[in-house]
Amino acid sequence: MRIDKFLAETGCGSRKEVKKLLKQGIITVNDQVIKDAKYQVNEWTDRVAYDEEPLSYQKNFYYMLHKPQDVISATEDKYDETVIDLLSDEDFREDLFPVGRLDKDTEGLLILTNDGQLAHRLLSPKKHVDKEYFARIAGIVTKEDIALFAEGLTLKNGEAVKPGQLVIDSVDEAVGESEIRLVIQEGKFHQVKRMFEAVDKQVIYLKRLRMGALYLDEQLELGAYRPLTEAELALVETKGIG
């Protein structure tokens, strides 16, 4: 790997910025000052230091984010705050992206990574990855709705969706609302909302609790994030892909 690419990927700055660092003579490889941006390093075995501070290379990054409402699942947007905007300057990388999407008004678990292969495994319909949601519904959810969801619904526009596992947590008949959990394996546009519209009910609050075997950390405040633990990453890479 070129030394300028190594420095950029370890967070020392853009390619242009790290070339200035190299010219200053403060980058060493195996205790030798390197000024040539094209110099080749072995990112796993060479000892690279920035102003005598050792640099360690990490290829892939994985974060668990508790997405709040009014933030969009995108890397950039001209008008709205994105999930990438929630990252600190220290953690920001240009190659990070959200795995899948949550609607602007939906909260809950979202993975941010630069690992495209992992994202594909989690999102591919062939992998049958469970996605579990909690929702508050305007309307009384019934056993009949559970049966309809289990069979697979036809949406208002005629589009068919695969079966989902619907569980009723509570029903408040006085205010005409229900709290439910729903497990689906697809990720169609506004799917949960459209599934309830198909049975003449409305989602008024939606939160993703789980993706595969990975559960949202209850200790994470809205808008907060943290790196996945090794155990969590193992779950996502094995059990999490169905």
PDB file of all heavy atoms in Angstrom, residues 2 4-5 7 13-25 27 34-38:
ATOM      1  N   ARG A   2       0.510   2.257  -0.783  1.00  0.00           N
ATOM      2  CA  ARG A   2       1.253   3.524  -0.771  1.00  0.00           C
ATOM      3  C   ARG A   2       1.139   4.187   0.587  1.00  0.00           C
ATOM      4  O   ARG A   2       0.096   4.128   1.241  1.00  0.00           O
ATOM      5  CB  ARG A   2       0.709   4.453  -1.854  1.00  0.00           C
ATOM      6  CG  ARG A   2       1.145   4.103  -3.258  1.00  0.00           C
ATOM      7  CD  ARG A   2       0.473   4.959  -4.303  1.00  0.00           C
ATOM      8  NE  ARG A   2       0.519   6.387  -4.007  1.00  0.00           N
ATOM      9  CZ  ARG A   2       0.777   7.344  -4.908  1.00  0.00           C
ATOM     10  NH1 ARG A   2       1.025   7.000  -6.170  1.00  0.00           N
ATOM     11  NH2 ARG A   2       0.767   8.608  -4.572  1.00  0.00           N
ATOM     12  N   ASP A   4       0.927   7.322   1.351  1.00  0.00           N
ATOM     13  CA  ASP A   4      -0.089   8.385   1.449  1.00  0.00           C
ATOM     14  C   ASP A   4      -1.480   7.794   1.648  1.00  0.00           C
ATOM     15  O   ASP A   4      -2.300   8.329   2.402  1.00  0.00           O
ATOM     16  CB  ASP A   4      -0.048   9.328   0.240  1.00  0.00           C
ATOM     17  CG  ASP A   4      -0.255   8.632  -1.096  1.00  0.00           C
ATOM     18  OD1 ASP A   4      -0.186   7.383  -1.149  1.00  0.00           O
ATOM     19  OD2 ASP A   4      -0.470   9.339  -2.102  1.00  0.00           O
ATOM     20  N   LYS A   5      -1.772   6.642   1.014  1.00  0.00           N
ATOM     21  CA  LYS A   5      -3.050   5.976   1.211  1.00  0.00           C
ATOM     22  C   LYS A   5      -3.153   5.432   2.635  1.00  0.00           C
ATOM     23  O   LYS A   5      -4.196   5.558   3.296  1.00  0.00           O
ATOM     24  CB  LYS A   5      -3.220   4.835   0.199  1.00  0.00           C
ATOM     25  CG  LYS A   5      -4.576   4.139   0.232  1.00  0.00           C
ATOM     26  CD  LYS A   5      -4.681   3.126  -0.896  1.00  0.00           C
ATOM     27  CE  LYS A   5      -6.098   2.573  -1.019  1.00  0.00           C
ATOM     28  NZ  LYS A   5      -6.496   1.740   0.132  1.00  0.00           N
ATOM     29  N   LEU A   7      -1.685   6.587   5.335  1.00  0.00           N
ATOM     30  CA  LEU A   7      -1.880   7.709   6.254  1.00  0.00           C
ATOM     31  C   LEU A   7      -3.304   8.250   6.183  1.00  0.00           C
ATOM     32  O   LEU A   7      -3.913   8.577   7.203  1.00  0.00           O
ATOM     33  CB  LEU A   7      -0.866   8.820   5.945  1.00  0.00           C
ATOM     34  CG  LEU A   7       0.605   8.462   6.197  1.00  0.00           C
ATOM     35  CD1 LEU A   7       1.511   9.542   5.631  1.00  0.00           C
ATOM     36  CD2 LEU A   7       0.858   8.266   7.688  1.00  0.00           C
ATOM     37  N   GLY A  13      -5.504  12.547   7.578  1.00  0.00           N
ATOM     38  CA  GLY A  13      -5.937  13.632   6.712  1.00  0.00           C
ATOM     39  C   GLY A  13      -6.219  13.124   5.310  1.00  0.00           C
ATOM     40  O   GLY A  13      -6.145  11.920   5.040  1.00  0.00           O
ATOM     41  N   SER A  14      -6.556  14.038   4.426  1.00  0.00           N
ATOM     42  CA  SER A  14      -6.801  13.685   3.029  1.00  0.00           C
ATOM     43  C   SER A  14      -5.473  13.356   2.353  1.00  0.00           C
ATOM     44  O   SER A  14      -4.395  13.582   2.913  1.00  0.00           O
ATOM     45  CB  SER A  14      -7.469  14.852   2.305  1.00  0.00           C
ATOM     46  OG  SER A  14      -6.569  15.957   2.242  1.00  0.00           O
ATOM     47  N   ARG A  15      -5.536  12.813   1.153  1.00  0.00           N
ATOM     48  CA  ARG A  15      -4.309  12.506   0.411  1.00  0.00           C
ATOM     49  C   ARG A  15      -3.444  13.768   0.266  1.00  0.00           C
ATOM     50  O   ARG A  15      -2.223  13.718   0.401  1.00  0.00           O
ATOM     51  CB  ARG A  15      -4.649  11.954  -0.981  1.00  0.00           C
ATOM     52  CG  ARG A  15      -5.211  10.557  -1.018  1.00  0.00           C
ATOM     53  CD  ARG A  15      -4.132   9.505  -0.793  1.00  0.00           C
ATOM     54  NE  ARG A  15      -4.640   8.168  -1.055  1.00  0.00           N
ATOM     55  CZ  ARG A  15      -4.437   7.487  -2.163  1.00  0.00           C
ATOM     56  NH1 ARG A  15      -3.745   8.014  -3.140  1.00  0.00           N
ATOM     57  NH2 ARG A  15      -4.925   6.274  -2.305  1.00  0.00           N
ATOM     58  N   LYS A  16      -4.091  14.893  -0.004  1.00  0.00           N
ATOM     59  CA  LYS A  16      -3.363  16.151  -0.173  1.00  0.00           C
ATOM     60  C   LYS A  16      -2.717  16.590   1.142  1.00  0.00           C
ATOM     61  O   LYS A  16      -1.566  17.030   1.172  1.00  0.00           O
ATOM     62  CB  LYS A  16      -4.334  17.236  -0.664  1.00  0.00           C
ATOM     63  CG  LYS A  16      -3.670  18.567  -0.980  1.00  0.00           C
ATOM     64  CD  LYS A  16      -4.689  19.546  -1.554  1.00  0.00           C
ATOM     65  CE  LYS A  16      -4.038  20.871  -1.900  1.00  0.00           C
ATOM     66  NZ  LYS A  16      -5.020  21.839  -2.455  1.00  0.00           N
ATOM     67  N   GLU A  17      -3.449  16.424   2.248  1.00  0.00           N
ATOM     68  CA  GLU A  17      -2.933  16.835   3.555  1.00  0.00           C
ATOM     69  C   GLU A  17      -1.772  15.955   4.006  1.00  0.00           C
ATOM     70  O   GLU A  17      -0.796  16.452   4.578  1.00  0.00           O
ATOM     71  CB  GLU A  17      -4.064  16.799   4.589  1.00  0.00           C
ATOM     72  CG  GLU A  17      -5.104  17.886   4.377  1.00  0.00           C
ATOM     73  CD  GLU A  17      -6.360  17.672   5.217  1.00  0.00           C
ATOM     74  OE1 GLU A  17      -6.622  16.518   5.621  1.00  0.00           O
ATOM     75  OE2 GLU A  17      -7.090  18.653   5.437  1.00  0.00           O
ATOM     76  N   VAL A  18      -1.864  14.641   3.748  1.00  0.00           N
ATOM     77  CA  VAL A  18      -0.785  13.766   4.219  1.00  0.00           C
ATOM     78  C   VAL A  18       0.492  13.964   3.417  1.00  0.00           C
ATOM     79  O   VAL A  18       1.599  13.726   3.933  1.00  0.00           O
ATOM     80  CB  VAL A  18      -1.222  12.276   4.220  1.00  0.00           C
ATOM     81  CG1 VAL A  18      -2.421  12.078   5.119  1.00  0.00           C
ATOM     82  CG2 VAL A  18      -1.492  11.768   2.824  1.00  0.00           C
ATOM     83  N   LYS A  19       0.380  14.417   2.184  1.00  0.00           N
ATOM     84  CA  LYS A  19       1.582  14.710   1.408  1.00  0.00           C
ATOM     85  C   LYS A  19       2.366  15.863   2.042  1.00  0.00           C
ATOM     86  O   LYS A  19       3.603  15.882   2.010  1.00  0.00           O
ATOM     87  CB  LYS A  19       1.215  15.025  -0.039  1.00  0.00           C
ATOM     88  CG  LYS A  19       0.855  13.775  -0.840  1.00  0.00           C
ATOM     89  CD  LYS A  19       0.356  14.087  -2.238  1.00  0.00           C
ATOM     90  CE  LYS A  19       0.002  12.781  -2.967  1.00  0.00           C
ATOM     91  NZ  LYS A  19      -0.649  13.008  -4.252  1.00  0.00           N
ATOM     92  N   LYS A  20       1.652  16.794   2.651  1.00  0.00           N
ATOM     93  CA  LYS A  20       2.323  17.883   3.372  1.00  0.00           C
ATOM     94  C   LYS A  20       3.037  17.343   4.604  1.00  0.00           C
ATOM     95  O   LYS A  20       4.141  17.784   4.937  1.00  0.00           O
ATOM     96  CB  LYS A  20       1.303  18.952   3.777  1.00  0.00           C
ATOM     97  CG  LYS A  20       0.687  19.704   2.607  1.00  0.00           C
ATOM     98  CD  LYS A  20      -0.318  20.741   3.095  1.00  0.00           C
ATOM     99  CE  LYS A  20      -0.946  21.487   1.918  1.00  0.00           C
ATOM    100  NZ  LYS A  20      -1.966  22.479   2.372  1.00  0.00           N
ATOM    101  N   LEU A  21       2.397  16.377   5.281  1.00  0.00           N
ATOM    102  CA  LEU A  21       3.033  15.762   6.450  1.00  0.00           C
ATOM    103  C   LEU A  21       4.318  15.049   6.052  1.00  0.00           C
ATOM    104  O   LEU A  21       5.332  15.123   6.759  1.00  0.00           O
ATOM    105  CB  LEU A  21       2.072  14.773   7.116  1.00  0.00           C
ATOM    106  CG  LEU A  21       0.774  15.326   7.693  1.00  0.00           C
ATOM    107  CD1 LEU A  21      -0.073  14.181   8.252  1.00  0.00           C
ATOM    108  CD2 LEU A  21       1.051  16.355   8.788  1.00  0.00           C
ATOM    109  N   LEU A  22       4.266  14.355   4.926  1.00  0.00           N
ATOM    110  CA  LEU A  22       5.452  13.640   4.449  1.00  0.00           C
ATOM    111  C   LEU A  22       6.594  14.619   4.161  1.00  0.00           C
ATOM    112  O   LEU A  22       7.748  14.357   4.519  1.00  0.00           O
ATOM    113  CB  LEU A  22       5.103  12.835   3.200  1.00  0.00           C
ATOM    114  CG  LEU A  22       4.222  11.600   3.429  1.00  0.00           C
ATOM    115  CD1 LEU A  22       3.581  11.134   2.127  1.00  0.00           C
ATOM    116  CD2 LEU A  22       5.053  10.470   4.038  1.00  0.00           C
ATOM    117  N   LYS A  23       6.275  15.737   3.538  1.00  0.00           N
ATOM    118  CA  LYS A  23       7.307  16.729   3.220  1.00  0.00           C
ATOM    119  C   LYS A  23       7.947  17.313   4.473  1.00  0.00           C
ATOM    120  O   LYS A  23       9.099  17.735   4.465  1.00  0.00           O
ATOM    121  CB  LYS A  23       6.707  17.852   2.364  1.00  0.00           C
ATOM    122  CG  LYS A  23       6.372  17.422   0.937  1.00  0.00           C
ATOM    123  CD  LYS A  23       5.785  18.578   0.146  1.00  0.00           C
ATOM    124  CE  LYS A  23       5.448  18.145  -1.277  1.00  0.00           C
ATOM    125  NZ  LYS A  23       4.840  19.266  -2.070  1.00  0.00           N
ATOM    126  N   GLN A  24       7.180  17.320   5.592  1.00  0.00           N
ATOM    127  CA  GLN A  24       7.705  17.864   6.854  1.00  0.00           C
ATOM    128  C   GLN A  24       8.691  16.911   7.532  1.00  0.00           C
ATOM    129  O   GLN A  24       9.348  17.286   8.502  1.00  0.00           O
ATOM    130  CB  GLN A  24       6.549  18.162   7.810  1.00  0.00           C
ATOM    131  CG  GLN A  24       5.639  19.292   7.352  1.00  0.00           C
ATOM    132  CD  GLN A  24       4.391  19.426   8.221  1.00  0.00           C
ATOM    133  OE1 GLN A  24       4.406  19.024   9.378  1.00  0.00           O
ATOM    134  NE2 GLN A  24       3.333  19.980   7.654  1.00  0.00           N
ATOM    135  N   GLY A  25       8.775  15.667   7.038  1.00  0.00           N
ATOM    136  CA  GLY A  25       9.724  14.716   7.601  1.00  0.00           C
ATOM    137  C   GLY A  25       9.321  14.156   8.948  1.00  0.00           C
ATOM    138  O   GLY A  25      10.186  13.764   9.744  1.00  0.00           O
ATOM    139  N   ILE A  27       6.972  11.622   9.237  1.00  0.00           N
ATOM    140  CA  ILE A  27       6.445  10.268   9.049  1.00  0.00           C
ATOM    141  C   ILE A  27       7.621   9.302   8.932  1.00  0.00           C
ATOM    142  O   ILE A  27       8.533   9.509   8.118  1.00  0.00           O
ATOM    143  CB  ILE A  27       5.573  10.174   7.790  1.00  0.00           C
ATOM    144  CG1 ILE A  27       4.417  11.197   7.837  1.00  0.00           C
ATOM    145  CG2 ILE A  27       5.046   8.754   7.616  1.00  0.00           C
ATOM    146  CD1 ILE A  27       3.465  10.992   8.994  1.00  0.00           C
ATOM    147  N   ILE A  34      10.292   8.946   5.877  1.00  0.00           N
ATOM    148  CA  ILE A  34       9.811   8.751   4.513  1.00  0.00           C
ATOM    149  C   ILE A  34       9.123  10.035   4.045  1.00  0.00           C
ATOM    150  O   ILE A  34       8.235  10.551   4.716  1.00  0.00           O
ATOM    151  CB  ILE A  34       8.820   7.567   4.428  1.00  0.00           C
ATOM    152  CG1 ILE A  34       9.465   6.273   4.906  1.00  0.00           C
ATOM    153  CG2 ILE A  34       8.278   7.423   3.003  1.00  0.00           C
ATOM    154  CD1 ILE A  34      10.651   5.824   4.079  1.00  0.00           C
ATOM    155  N   LYS A  35       9.557  10.518   2.866  1.00  0.00           N
ATOM    156  CA  LYS A  35       8.950  11.725   2.302  1.00  0.00           C
ATOM    157  C   LYS A  35       8.250  11.468   0.976  1.00  0.00           C
ATOM    158  O   LYS A  35       7.477  12.310   0.499  1.00  0.00           O
ATOM    159  CB  LYS A  35      10.012  12.810   2.114  1.00  0.00           C
ATOM    160  CG  LYS A  35      10.611  13.332   3.420  1.00  0.00           C
ATOM    161  CD  LYS A  35      11.525  14.513   3.178  1.00  0.00           C
ATOM    162  CE  LYS A  35      12.038  15.073   4.506  1.00  0.00           C
ATOM    163  NZ  LYS A  35      12.892  16.272   4.305  1.00  0.00           N
ATOM    164  N   ASP A  36       8.488  10.319   0.376  1.00  0.00           N
ATOM    165  CA  ASP A  36       7.913   9.978  -0.924  1.00  0.00           C
ATOM    166  C   ASP A  36       6.516   9.401  -0.739  1.00  0.00           C
ATOM    167  O   ASP A  36       6.340   8.339  -0.122  1.00  0.00           O
ATOM    168  CB  ASP A  36       8.817   8.955  -1.623  1.00  0.00           C
ATOM    169  CG  ASP A  36       8.308   8.570  -3.004  1.00  0.00           C
ATOM    170  OD1 ASP A  36       7.285   9.150  -3.456  1.00  0.00           O
ATOM    171  OD2 ASP A  36       8.910   7.672  -3.634  1.00  0.00           O
ATOM    172  N   ALA A  37       5.508  10.070  -1.290  1.00  0.00           N
ATOM    173  CA  ALA A  37       4.114   9.637  -1.135  1.00  0.00           C
ATOM    174  C   ALA A  37       3.862   8.282  -1.783  1.00  0.00           C
ATOM    175  O   ALA A  37       2.912   7.576  -1.416  1.00  0.00           O
ATOM    176  CB  ALA A  37       3.171  10.667  -1.738  1.00  0.00           C
ATOM    177  N   LYS A  38       4.713   7.881  -2.729  1.00  0.00           N
ATOM    178  CA  LYS A  38       4.518   6.610  -3.422  1.00  0.00           C
ATOM    179  C   LYS A  38       5.200   5.437  -2.710  1.00  0.00           C
ATOM    180  O   LYS A  38       5.079   4.301  -3.150  1.00  0.00           O
ATOM    181  CB  LYS A  38       5.056   6.714  -4.853  1.00  0.00           C
ATOM    182  CG  LYS A  38       4.314   7.731  -5.714  1.00  0.00           C
ATOM    183  CD  LYS A  38       4.907   7.797  -7.116  1.00  0.00           C
ATOM    184  CE  LYS A  38       4.200   8.842  -7.975  1.00  0.00           C
ATOM    185  NZ  LYS A  38       4.799   8.920  -9.333  1.00  0.00           N
TER     186      LYS A  38
END
